[in-house]
Amino acid sequence: MKIFLDSADIKEVKEAASWGAIDGVTTNPSLVAKENTDFFELLKEICETVDGPISMETTSLDAEGMVNEGRTFVKLHPNIIVKCPLTKEGLKATRALSSENIRVNVTLCFSANQALLAAKAGAYFISPFVGRLDDLGTEGMQLIQDIRQIYDNYQFETEILVASVRHPLHVLEAARIGADIVTIPFKVLDALVKHPLTDRGLDQFMKDWDKLPDSIKRPPSIDARS
Ligand code: G3P
């Protein structure tokens, strides 16, 4: 399963990239707005930091506007994926852009029927928002299972990009279901690394090692090896 970072914070992107942990980045207007900086400059810097799919969201509400934005976005960098919302206009834009070989990440997906329409429109990625469904008391991960079954039934090539991830269990369940990608905020990526037994074990290794005299821990001197 591929892991994308769901962030427009270049510091988070650079840190996550330094771990070798991420295969791409997703952004959206809310995440970009938080950075309050030049949109195209920011996305270009993200593209130059992570060599993978970088999702950049349109802000038009009509298909023509989305198509024009998408054509402009992809000139920024070959790794740009155009994000369009799962609306009628978004499906029209997806159909048009995909017919021009421009890859579209269809976002704000909340039902399997929506995901079916997105695949038929030629979506490259589908982004079901599991956390927001959980927030309503419905099972977000059930949507991922349903989409996985439907896409497999009909050999749709659209990749399932699990979004609105709130915690490590979402990541684990997405991998078990066979989602293609999860996009996760930095705080969740950070939580994936941590385990108290790792910290406790490392602490004990260091304590045991520190008990040894330095004389038996030093590497042999160069001449002793010659
Ligand atoms: O990529 C979509 C994601 O950013 C939405 O997450 O937490 O706002 O539901 P959230």
Side-chain angles (χ1 to χ4, degrees):
M1 184 169 72
K2 288 174 275 200
I3 294 178
F4 290 1
L5 186 70
D6 194 34
S7 174
D9 180 333
I10 193 64
K11 294 187 296 300
E12 290 182 346
V13 172
K14 289 183 173 177
E15 176 66 14
S18 73
W19 302 356
I22 57 174
D23 305 292
V25 176
T26 53
T27 69
N28 63 43
S30 301
L31 293 173
V32 170
K34 281 199 287 188
E35 302 309 310
N36 193 26
T37 187
D38 184 279
F39 181 32
F40 283 81
E41 285 303 314
L42 173 61
L43 267 289
K44 187 167 176 60
E45 187 173 7
I46 292 174
C47 289
E48 289 165 353
T49 303
V50 178
D51 183 18
I54 309 297
S55 288
M56 187 173 184
E57 188 156 346
T58 58
T59 52
S60 302
L61 296 177
D62 64 300
E64 185 182 359
M66 292 177 205
V67 169
N68 289 333
E69 283 187 272
R71 287 171 180 156
T72 301
F73 289 177
V74 294
K75 290 174 185 163
L76 187 68
H77 194 281
N79 286 349
I80 289 287
I81 309 287
V82 180
K83 242 184 174 183
C84 295
L86 215 155
T87 60
K88 291 173 193 168
E89 292 299 307
L91 291 174
K92 285 182 201 170
T94 299
R95 193 86 196 99
L97 289 168
S98 60
S99 70
E100 297 174 20
N101 293 320
I102 293 175
R103 295 173 294 178
V104 180
N105 176 358
V106 177
T107 189
L108 287 167
C109 172
F110 294 96
S111 78
N113 283 332
Q114 283 184 319
L116 175 59
L117 292 174
K120 291 175 70 66
Y124 187 75
F125 293 145
I126 183 68
S127 289
F129 279 30
V130 297
R132 295 191 189 186
L133 287 167
D134 286 0
D135 293 346
L136 291 181
T138 56
E139 287 188 68
M141 294 313 291
Q142 181 58 52
L143 173 58
I144 306 304
Q145 280 188 328
D146 293 344
I147 297 171
R148 180 73 284 161
Q149 182 180 358
I150 292 165
Y151 281 15
D152 292 350
N153 286 349
Y154 302 100
Q155 292 86 44
F156 283 117
E157 293 183 3
T158 302
E159 292 194 25
I160 303 171
L161 195 170
V162 180
S164 185
V165 168
R166 293 278 196 276
H167 46 67
L169 265 186
H170 277 152
V171 179
L172 176 63
E173 289 175 49
R176 283 177 173 157
I177 291 167
D180 300 285
I181 309 158
V182 282
T183 191
I184 58 181
F186 189 84
K187 67 177 172 39
V188 174
L189 180 67
D190 196 54
L192 292 185
V193 180
K194 291 177 182 162
H195 195 291
L197 289 182
T198 303
D199 296 339
R200 200 183 306 167
L202 184 59
D203 186 52
Q204 189 58 53
F205 286 167
M206 294 304 103
K207 282 178 181 163
D208 293 343
W209 181 257
D210 288 345
K211 290 173 191 165
L212 295 176
D214 287 342
S215 59
I216 65 171
K217 291 191 286 190
R218 265 197 298 274
S221 61
I222 304 288
D223 54 10
R225 281 183 296 202
S226 55

mmCIF file of all heavy atoms in Angstrom, residues 6 26-28 31 83 107 127 129 131-132 135 163-166 183, ligand 1:
data_model
loop_
_atom_site.group_PDB
_atom_site.id
_atom_site.type_symbol
_atom_site.label_atom_id
_atom_site.label_comp_id
_atom_site.label_asym_id
_atom_site.label_seq_id
_atom_site.Cartn_x
_atom_site.Cartn_y
_atom_site.Cartn_z
ATOM 1 N N ASP A 6 -0.989 13.872 3.783
ATOM 2 C CA ASP A 6 -2.119 14.783 3.548
ATOM 3 C C ASP A 6 -1.779 16.108 4.206
ATOM 4 O O ASP A 6 -2.125 16.339 5.371
ATOM 5 C CB ASP A 6 -3.391 14.168 4.151
ATOM 6 C CG ASP A 6 -4.650 14.863 3.660
ATOM 7 O OD1 ASP A 6 -4.679 15.311 2.489
ATOM 8 O OD2 ASP A 6 -5.603 14.991 4.449
ATOM 9 N N THR A 26 -1.146 14.737 -0.846
ATOM 10 C CA THR A 26 -2.448 15.286 -1.241
ATOM 11 C C THR A 26 -2.627 16.627 -0.542
ATOM 12 O O THR A 26 -2.242 16.787 0.625
ATOM 13 C CB THR A 26 -3.624 14.370 -0.839
ATOM 14 O OG1 THR A 26 -3.533 14.057 0.560
ATOM 15 C CG2 THR A 26 -3.605 13.083 -1.650
ATOM 16 N N THR A 27 -3.198 17.575 -1.262
ATOM 17 C CA THR A 27 -3.559 18.862 -0.665
ATOM 18 C C THR A 27 -5.026 19.129 -0.995
ATOM 19 O O THR A 27 -5.628 18.441 -1.815
ATOM 20 C CB THR A 27 -2.688 20.019 -1.228
ATOM 21 O OG1 THR A 27 -3.032 20.249 -2.613
ATOM 22 C CG2 THR A 27 -1.207 19.690 -1.104
ATOM 23 N N ASN A 28 -5.589 20.099 -0.314
ATOM 24 C CA ASN A 28 -6.939 20.559 -0.624
ATOM 25 C C ASN A 28 -6.999 22.026 -0.244
ATOM 26 O O ASN A 28 -6.085 22.541 0.415
ATOM 27 C CB ASN A 28 -8.002 19.719 0.095
ATOM 28 C CG ASN A 28 -7.928 19.813 1.599
ATOM 29 O OD1 ASN A 28 -7.750 20.889 2.152
ATOM 30 N ND2 ASN A 28 -8.026 18.672 2.281
ATOM 31 N N LEU A 31 -6.244 22.881 3.434
ATOM 32 C CA LEU A 31 -4.842 22.665 3.842
ATOM 33 C C LEU A 31 -3.940 23.762 3.263
ATOM 34 O O LEU A 31 -3.050 24.273 3.938
ATOM 35 C CB LEU A 31 -4.361 21.290 3.376
ATOM 36 C CG LEU A 31 -5.011 20.081 4.038
ATOM 37 C CD1 LEU A 31 -4.561 18.788 3.356
ATOM 38 C CD2 LEU A 31 -4.677 20.023 5.526
ATOM 39 N N LYS A 83 -7.334 17.526 -8.643
ATOM 40 C CA LYS A 83 -8.401 17.072 -7.746
ATOM 41 C C LYS A 83 -9.704 17.784 -8.107
ATOM 42 O O LYS A 83 -9.747 19.009 -8.203
ATOM 43 C CB LYS A 83 -8.043 17.422 -6.295
ATOM 44 C CG LYS A 83 -7.888 16.236 -5.370
ATOM 45 C CD LYS A 83 -7.633 16.729 -3.944
ATOM 46 C CE LYS A 83 -7.623 15.604 -2.955
ATOM 47 N NZ LYS A 83 -7.437 16.091 -1.576
ATOM 48 N N THR A 107 -12.491 13.689 -5.369
ATOM 49 C CA THR A 107 -12.473 13.827 -3.912
ATOM 50 C C THR A 107 -13.865 14.072 -3.343
ATOM 51 O O THR A 107 -14.830 14.252 -4.086
ATOM 52 C CB THR A 107 -11.506 14.950 -3.511
ATOM 53 O OG1 THR A 107 -11.329 14.962 -2.092
ATOM 54 C CG2 THR A 107 -11.994 16.314 -3.972
ATOM 55 N N SER A 127 -11.135 9.375 -3.735
ATOM 56 C CA SER A 127 -10.792 9.709 -2.344
ATOM 57 C C SER A 127 -12.028 9.639 -1.459
ATOM 58 O O SER A 127 -12.735 10.639 -1.277
ATOM 59 C CB SER A 127 -10.167 11.106 -2.249
ATOM 60 O OG SER A 127 -8.872 11.120 -2.807
ATOM 61 N N PHE A 129 -13.808 9.736 2.059
ATOM 62 C CA PHE A 129 -13.440 10.397 3.318
ATOM 63 C C PHE A 129 -13.954 9.577 4.496
ATOM 64 O O PHE A 129 -15.077 9.780 4.972
ATOM 65 C CB PHE A 129 -14.043 11.793 3.361
ATOM 66 C CG PHE A 129 -13.287 12.851 2.601
ATOM 67 C CD1 PHE A 129 -12.549 12.557 1.469
ATOM 68 C CD2 PHE A 129 -13.311 14.166 3.039
ATOM 69 C CE1 PHE A 129 -11.857 13.535 0.766
ATOM 70 C CE2 PHE A 129 -12.622 15.170 2.344
ATOM 71 C CZ PHE A 129 -11.902 14.842 1.204
ATOM 72 N N GLY A 131 -12.939 9.378 7.761
ATOM 73 C CA GLY A 131 -13.053 10.019 9.073
ATOM 74 C C GLY A 131 -14.342 10.805 9.225
ATOM 75 O O GLY A 131 -15.001 10.790 10.266
ATOM 76 N N ARG A 132 -14.744 11.476 8.129
ATOM 77 C CA ARG A 132 -15.955 12.297 8.222
ATOM 78 C C ARG A 132 -17.214 11.419 8.318
ATOM 79 O O ARG A 132 -18.207 11.817 8.916
ATOM 80 C CB ARG A 132 -16.040 13.239 7.018
ATOM 81 C CG ARG A 132 -14.901 14.264 7.016
ATOM 82 C CD ARG A 132 -15.088 15.369 6.023
ATOM 83 N NE ARG A 132 -13.874 16.188 5.924
ATOM 84 C CZ ARG A 132 -13.791 17.303 5.200
ATOM 85 N NH1 ARG A 132 -14.846 17.729 4.522
ATOM 86 N NH2 ARG A 132 -12.674 17.982 5.136
ATOM 87 N N ASP A 135 -17.269 10.313 11.879
ATOM 88 C CA ASP A 135 -17.729 11.440 12.710
ATOM 89 C C ASP A 135 -19.257 11.474 12.807
ATOM 90 O O ASP A 135 -19.827 11.952 13.790
ATOM 91 C CB ASP A 135 -17.250 12.779 12.123
ATOM 92 C CG ASP A 135 -15.726 12.944 12.189
ATOM 93 O OD1 ASP A 135 -15.074 12.168 12.920
ATOM 94 O OD2 ASP A 135 -15.200 13.830 11.479
ATOM 95 N N ALA A 163 -8.940 8.624 2.393
ATOM 96 C CA ALA A 163 -8.664 9.976 2.890
ATOM 97 C C ALA A 163 -9.468 10.261 4.149
ATOM 98 O O ALA A 163 -10.308 9.467 4.549
ATOM 99 C CB ALA A 163 -8.996 11.002 1.802
ATOM 100 N N SER A 164 -9.172 11.418 4.749
ATOM 101 C CA SER A 164 -9.825 11.792 6.007
ATOM 102 C C SER A 164 -9.514 10.732 7.066
ATOM 103 O O SER A 164 -10.393 10.260 7.791
ATOM 104 C CB SER A 164 -11.342 11.926 5.826
ATOM 105 O OG SER A 164 -11.957 12.405 7.001
ATOM 106 N N VAL A 165 -8.240 10.361 7.123
ATOM 107 C CA VAL A 165 -7.765 9.340 8.067
ATOM 108 C C VAL A 165 -7.489 9.993 9.413
ATOM 109 O O VAL A 165 -6.842 11.026 9.490
ATOM 110 C CB VAL A 165 -6.489 8.649 7.511
ATOM 111 C CG1 VAL A 165 -5.801 7.812 8.578
ATOM 112 C CG2 VAL A 165 -6.840 7.785 6.298
ATOM 113 N N ARG A 166 -8.011 9.389 10.460
ATOM 114 C CA ARG A 166 -7.942 10.018 11.788
ATOM 115 C C ARG A 166 -6.919 9.359 12.720
ATOM 116 O O ARG A 166 -6.489 9.996 13.684
ATOM 117 C CB ARG A 166 -9.317 9.929 12.466
ATOM 118 C CG ARG A 166 -10.391 10.747 11.790
ATOM 119 C CD ARG A 166 -10.326 12.194 12.217
ATOM 120 N NE ARG A 166 -11.555 12.908 11.871
ATOM 121 C CZ ARG A 166 -11.792 13.435 10.670
ATOM 122 N NH1 ARG A 166 -10.894 13.279 9.722
ATOM 123 N NH2 ARG A 166 -12.901 14.089 10.412
ATOM 124 N N THR A 183 -3.923 8.400 2.450
ATOM 125 C CA THR A 183 -3.302 9.706 2.624
ATOM 126 C C THR A 183 -3.551 10.135 4.056
ATOM 127 O O THR A 183 -4.687 10.097 4.533
ATOM 128 C CB THR A 183 -3.792 10.753 1.607
ATOM 129 O OG1 THR A 183 -2.940 11.905 1.697
ATOM 130 C CG2 THR A 183 -5.242 11.170 1.776
HETATM 131 O O1 G3P B 1 -7.585 14.765 1.805
HETATM 132 C C1 G3P B 1 -8.805 14.987 2.464
HETATM 133 C C2 G3P B 1 -8.554 15.255 3.892
HETATM 134 O O2 G3P B 1 -7.641 16.324 4.025
HETATM 135 C C3 G3P B 1 -9.804 15.559 4.684
HETATM 136 O O3 G3P B 1 -9.520 15.252 5.991
HETATM 137 O O4 G3P B 1 -9.713 15.435 8.438
HETATM 138 O O5 G3P B 1 -10.591 17.283 6.950
HETATM 139 O O6 G3P B 1 -11.770 15.069 7.045
HETATM 140 P P1 G3P B 1 -10.438 15.806 7.170
#
